[in-house]
Amino acid sequence: MDDKLEQLEKRYDELQQKLADPAVVTDIAAYRDARKAIAEISALVTKYRELKHVRKGIADTREILSTLKGEHELRELAELELAELEAKLGGLENDLRLLLQPKDPNDEKNVFVEIRAGTGGDEASLFAAEIMRMYIRYAESKRWKVDITDANYSPVNGIKDATLQIEGQKVYSRLKFESGVHRVQRVPQTETQGRIHTSAITVAVLPEAEDIDIQISDKDLRVDTFCSSGPGGQSVNTTYSAVRITHLPSGVVVSCQDEKSQIKNRQKALKVLKARLYDIERQKREAELSATRKGMIGSGDRSEKIRTYNFPQDRVTDHRIGLTVHNLPSIMNGSLDVLIEPLISHFQAEKLKEAVEAK
């Protein structure tokens, strides 16, 4: 492990020197690539340098202890400091082992978030609309760019289904554990007797596929145009700007109507199509590698309930890790890190455990 970390530290210093080179500073692409490379290893290098500092502290403290024969008070202080340093050493070594684990190649990618109303009729569509707003507000808090590429509205101002395109730094790494069934328990607006109902929606988080990931031939596509629907300006219901694309070999259908331009809608629809096809292929590969992990690490499995939003009790429970948090209004307003951070930590620990057991 140390050899690899030494190489990374050397690479980090070389990149820092490169950034000071005027030829690189004036070359936008080279400067951006160097900054990106530094960002990818900076956490590792920082942690490794902290590890070396702690190791030196342990060595120095042991040397001091060897010289303290009868000075009980000083010796006690040195032993206490040594115990603290050794405890810190173990934690740093575990952190570095985790950071050195192979990363999910999709973590840096933008995503498409697909939200669909499930069981529960109008109440499910209303909850789907609230979940969509929740993700939009979370994205805004991270300064990510959000577009609603497609949405089918219900008669009660909910949504039957919708697709969000979210672009930003490490979007997939933050949202990949959101895929699954989200259940809500509350008294619906349409309920006259105050009874609590249970409804459900599904969420799928798909990493945006690059051209090198998925190749689509024009002969495999059927493209239909139609009038946009829902809220909008004068072009709604008057021009055939909305686009529906059917991928004939797989039967996957996508549509986009958020732009007034048919060309722009077609481009966005193709991005969604590529993301869905990429997700299908990835699920196949993951199923072949490990059937037990298909619903955990970004497989998009919708068959299991992952989270329950209980409004009467003001709590959210994530069933995968047994986490329960309160302040539901804040969560629905986009404060999702209280759920996302523990999920990331849990699955990182599981990944490290698997790696250790494999050795």
Side-chain angles (χ1 to χ4, degrees), residues 182-241:
H182 295 239
R183 186 177 70 170
V184 59
Q185 294 177 322
R186 64 182 177 186
V187 179
Q189 295 177 11
T190 55
E191 171 60 47
T192 58
Q193 298 182 20
R195 293 174 298 183
I196 296 174
H197 287 226
T198 299
S199 304
I201 68 163
T202 61
V203 174
V205 179
L206 314 177
E208 184 176 329
E210 300 172 2
D211 289 337
I212 56 172
D213 296 326
I214 295 292
Q215 296 293 333
I216 299 176
S217 173
D218 288 342
K219 65 181 178 63
D220 291 334
L221 301 178
R222 186 179 74 234
V223 181
D224 302 306
T225 59
F226 57 98
C227 293
S228 300
S229 61
Q234 294 180 353
S235 64
V236 173
N237 295 320
T238 60
T239 62
Y240 286 81
S241 59

Side-chain angles (χ1 to χ4, degrees), residues 1-2 5-6 8-9 12 38-56 87-100 348:
M1 182 173 76
D2 281 9
L5 289 167
E6 285 289 343
L8 287 171
E9 185 178 31
Y12 181 84
I38 287 173
E40 288 175 353
I41 62 174
S42 61
L44 263 167
V45 173
T46 301
K47 193 72 71 174
Y48 179 51
R49 286 175 174 171
E50 189 179 353
L51 176 73
K52 289 197 295 184
H53 179 73
V54 169
R55 283 175 174 172
K56 185 178 185 304
K88 193 174 183 180
L89 178 69
L92 288 169
E93 288 174 341
N94 281 334
D95 289 344
L96 282 165
R97 288 191 190 98
L98 183 59
L99 287 169
L100 284 168
Q348 282 181 338

Side-chain angles (χ1 to χ4, degrees), residues 12 26 80 90-91 93 119 171 192 216 248 251 256 260 287 291 300 342 354:
Y12 181 84
T26 55
L80 182 62
E93 288 174 341
T119 56
V171 179
T192 58
I216 299 176
L248 300 175
C256 183
K260 293 181 181 180
E354 288 176 9

Side-chain angles (χ1 to χ4, degrees), residues 138 142 174 178 307 316 318 321 323-328 330-332 334-344:
Y138 179 67
K142 297 294 182 183
R174 304 293 299 177
E178 294 300 299
R307 194 176 292 158
V316 181
D318 195 290
I321 59 175
L323 172 70
T324 295
V325 295
H326 295 273
N327 198 359
L328 184 50
S330 176
I331 291 169
M332 297 304 295
S335 299
L336 280 175
D337 280 335
V338 292
L339 296 168
I340 289 173
E341 291 288 352
L343 280 167
I344 292 174

Side-chain angles (χ1 to χ4, degrees), residues 5-288:
L5 289 167
E6 285 289 343
Q7 292 173 8
L8 287 171
E9 185 178 31
K10 183 179 178 182
R11 170 67 174 156
Y12 181 84
D13 290 337
E14 289 172 351
L15 288 166
Q16 291 285 11
Q17 292 176 6
K18 192 174 180 180
L19 284 180
D21 186 343
V24 175
V25 173
T26 55
D27 185 333
I28 295 175
Y31 186 79
R32 183 185 63 239
D33 291 344
R35 295 275 299 183
K36 183 178 179 182
I38 287 173
E40 288 175 353
I41 62 174
S42 61
L44 263 167
V45 173
T46 301
K47 193 72 71 174
Y48 179 51
R49 286 175 174 171
E50 189 179 353
L51 176 73
K52 289 197 295 184
H53 179 73
V54 169
R55 283 175 174 172
K56 185 178 185 304
I58 289 173
D60 291 346
T61 305
R62 284 175 176 167
E63 186 177 345
I64 291 170
L65 276 169
S66 67
T67 65
L68 296 174
K69 301 299 181 183
E71 301 178 62
H72 299 294
E73 218 173 288
L74 288 174
R75 187 175 183 84
E76 188 176 328
L77 287 172
E79 287 174 345
L80 182 62
E81 183 178 349
L82 180 62
E84 291 175 353
L85 287 170
E86 287 177 338
K88 193 174 183 180
L89 178 69
L92 288 169
E93 288 174 341
N94 281 334
D95 289 344
L96 282 165
R97 288 191 190 98
L98 183 59
L99 287 169
L100 284 168
Q101 291 300 308
K103 294 182 179 179
D104 187 331
N106 294 314
D107 275 352
E108 301 289 334
K109 292 185 177 181
N110 301 322
V111 303
F112 292 99
V113 179
E114 298 182 340
I115 302 166
R116 288 184 172 83
T119 56
D122 287 344
E123 167 64 4
S125 75
L126 288 169
F127 184 59
E130 291 177 52
I131 289 294
M132 181 176 74
R133 287 193 293 271
M134 178 184 77
Y135 287 128
I136 290 172
R137 287 167 182 162
Y138 179 67
E140 290 171 346
S141 74
K142 297 294 182 183
R143 299 186 182 277
W144 295 337
K145 179 184 176 184
V146 187
D147 282 325
I148 303 175
T149 64
D150 188 41
N152 292 312
Y153 296 89
S154 70
V156 293
N157 294 323
I159 58 167
K160 298 176 182 177
D161 56 78
T163 302
L164 303 177
Q165 181 182 18
I166 305 179
E167 300 176 347
Q169 187 176 15
K170 295 186 176 181
V171 179
Y172 185 73
S173 70
R174 304 293 299 177
L175 295 179
K176 62 183 176 181
F177 301 118
E178 294 300 299
S179 293
V181 175
H182 295 239
R183 186 177 70 170
V184 59
Q185 294 177 322
R186 64 182 177 186
V187 179
Q189 295 177 11
T190 55
E191 171 60 47
T192 58
Q193 298 182 20
R195 293 174 298 183
I196 296 174
H197 287 226
T198 299
S199 304
I201 68 163
T202 61
V203 174
V205 179
L206 314 177
E208 184 176 329
E210 300 172 2
D211 289 337
I212 56 172
D213 296 326
I214 295 292
Q215 296 293 333
I216 299 176
S217 173
D218 288 342
K219 65 181 178 63
D220 291 334
L221 301 178
R222 186 179 74 234
V223 181
D224 302 306
T225 59
F226 57 98
C227 293
S228 300
S229 61
Q234 294 180 353
S235 64
V236 173
N237 295 320
T238 60
T239 62
Y240 286 81
S241 59
V243 173
R244 181 184 298 108
I245 299 179
T246 303
H247 185 247
L248 300 175
S250 65
V252 174
V253 180
V254 299
S255 59
C256 183
Q257 59 177 332
D258 71 313
E259 299 284 353
K260 293 181 181 180
S261 164
Q262 185 183 118
I263 295 174
K264 289 183 179 179
N265 281 329
R266 180 188 172 106
Q267 290 172 342
K268 285 192 174 182
L270 277 172
K271 283 187 176 183
V272 177
L273 176 61
K274 286 181 179 180
R276 289 192 190 175
L277 293 177
Y278 179 77
D279 188 59
I280 290 170
E281 289 302 313
R282 188 183 53 180
Q283 287 189 56
K284 287 179 182 177
R285 290 196 299 269
E286 288 190 355
E288 291 170 359

